[in-house]
Amino acid sequence: MVAVDNKCLLLGAFTIIMYFMWMDIALWYHLQALVPSEKGAMTHQQDDAFSVFYPITVKLLMCDPINHYIYLPLCFVFTQVTRFTTLFSFVTPNVISVTRVFVVVPGLRLLLLEPLGLRQTGVAIVLIGEWMDSLDGFVARLRAANPAMQSEVGAIGYYMDGICDGISAVMLLFVCLVYLKRHPPRQSGRVLQLPVICSKVEDRSQENKECLLGGGQLGGPRVPVPSGVVCTTVWLFGFQLLLASLGWNYVIAGYQRLLENGDGSHTEFLTAVRYVGYVALFALIVLNQIHFQAIQTYF
């Protein structure tokens, strides 16, 4: 049964990856088909239908595949089927952002329960909350009659969305911390579940419950991980996420001011990304290889 589940997970992961690759290739061909006109605007073959490839903006191109190719189309389908902007005109994007926090709470609670089915339900609820993070921006763009995905720095919605993202992230980290305290990482012929180092080793004879949770028969010495180390590791990881989020928003806003013209055209950005993008990509590959070789010396 476990082998069947693993095969299904691998098949699902492979399908999603191939879908992302196909959409990225389609986006690349879409970019190649755009030609600057005399006024600097981008000519395109685009009707009034929804498209994940238009309008081209810095934020759209820098968006992660899950938000770009899954959440964004789902937002369109949801608003069309429910006629959300018409029937629920009283629901503002800020209300959606706040509601998302309350939707995530029961899902996070389910993640701490023992039955696998309940934990899977919790993951599904958390993913719905993540989708709502895209929905608030999509609704805001619909009501503003501006389909371009851009960062509205300084607007109330910009800060409200960031605050709700931060609250959701802190709650998720807290749940991870509680779960790891209940099921502490161990080392018994396996790699530690967290990147921590402990010098104290002790024997534990009763491993039945943890064998079921971790998989496989465990034996021999255990390396107990102190709760303080677990807490420090989780919150340091959370601080990395915070810095990554702040840096992403700052860079997107900067490139948006620099590369996007006031008339809505993006000639400079598209020209740069076609050619200069390869330089940045190869530089990233080289730096990643150097980093890999440096880490390899420690093992």
Side-chain angles (χ1 to χ4, degrees):
M1 189 65 178
V2 175
V4 175
D5 292 340
N6 289 337
K7 290 181 179 179
C8 292
L9 289 175
L10 289 175
L11 179 61
F14 176 77
T15 303
I16 293 175
I17 292 174
M18 293 302 297
Y19 168 69
F20 288 161
M21 293 178 61
W22 177 266
M23 295 299 287
D24 279 340
I25 294 173
L27 176 60
W28 184 83
Y29 276 105
H30 180 79
L31 289 174
Q32 299 303 310
L34 298 179
V35 180
S37 66
E38 294 181 357
K39 296 182 179 180
M42 305 306 296
T43 58
H44 54 88
Q45 300 294 327
Q46 178 68 30
D47 51 21
D48 295 331
F50 168 78
S51 173
V52 295
F53 305 133
Y54 184 83
I56 296 295
T57 63
V58 172
K59 187 174 182 179
L60 181 70
L61 294 180
M62 298 301 292
C63 192
D64 62 275
I66 294 178
N67 279 284
H68 192 176
Y69 302 134
I70 295 181
Y71 290 164
L72 191 60
L74 286 178
C75 290
F76 172 74
V77 172
F78 175 79
T79 54
Q80 292 296 308
V81 172
T82 62
R83 299 173 59 192
F84 189 85
T85 56
T86 303
L87 298 179
F88 302 94
S89 58
F90 57 91
V91 180
T92 65
N94 290 336
V95 171
I96 298 176
S97 299
V98 175
T99 304
R100 172 169 63 93
V101 176
F102 293 97
V103 169
V104 170
V105 170
L108 295 176
R109 179 64 183 89
L110 291 176
L111 293 178
L112 295 175
L113 301 180
E114 293 298 332
L116 178 60
L118 293 179
R119 296 204 303 273
Q120 292 174 336
T121 303
V123 171
I125 295 175
V126 172
L127 290 177
I128 291 175
E130 292 296 318
W131 167 74
M132 292 178 67
D133 185 26
S134 297
L135 180 65
D136 57 5
F138 189 85
V139 171
R141 292 190 294 272
L142 279 181
R143 292 179 178 172
N146 180 19
M149 182 182 291
Q150 296 173 325
S151 294
E152 301 293 338
V153 182
I156 297 177
Y158 177 83
Y159 294 109
M160 182 64 69
D161 185 69
I163 292 173
C164 293
D165 285 344
I167 294 174
S168 300
V170 170
M171 290 192 301
L172 179 59
L173 288 174
F174 179 76
V175 169
C176 292
L177 181 61
V178 173
Y179 184 86
L180 289 173
K181 283 192 173 183
R182 293 181 180 178
H183 310 286
R186 62 184 183 273
Q187 183 180 28
S188 180
R190 297 172 179 267
V191 180
L192 283 175
Q193 297 174 358
L194 281 177
V196 293
I197 300 175
C198 300
S199 58
K200 181 181 178 182
V201 178
E202 63 180 17
D203 291 329
R204 290 283 297 275
S205 58
Q206 187 173 358
E207 298 279 356
N208 295 332
K209 182 178 180 181
E210 297 188 4
C211 283
L212 294 176
L213 293 175
Q217 183 67 31
L218 301 178
R222 281 175 54 92
V223 179
V225 180
S227 59
V229 176
V230 173
C231 182
T232 301
T233 303
V234 170
W235 290 115
L236 285 177
F237 177 72
F239 189 66
Q240 291 183 28
L241 294 179
L242 174 62
L243 291 179
S245 177
L246 293 176
W248 190 84
N249 284 302
Y250 176 78
V251 170
I252 291 298
Y255 277 114
Q256 184 173 290
R257 291 191 304 267
L258 182 65
L259 299 175
E260 295 185 6
N261 297 331
D263 60 355
S265 61
H266 318 293
T267 305
E268 296 89 346
F269 178 62
L270 290 176
T271 303
V273 79
R274 288 182 180 181
Y275 305 108
V276 182
Y278 286 99
V279 177
L281 180 60
F282 285 129
L284 182 62
I285 293 175
V286 172
L287 290 175
N288 182 74
Q289 185 64 24
I290 295 174
H291 182 253
F292 176 78
Q293 294 295 333
I295 292 179
Q296 199 173 26
T297 59
Y298 290 99
F299 294 92

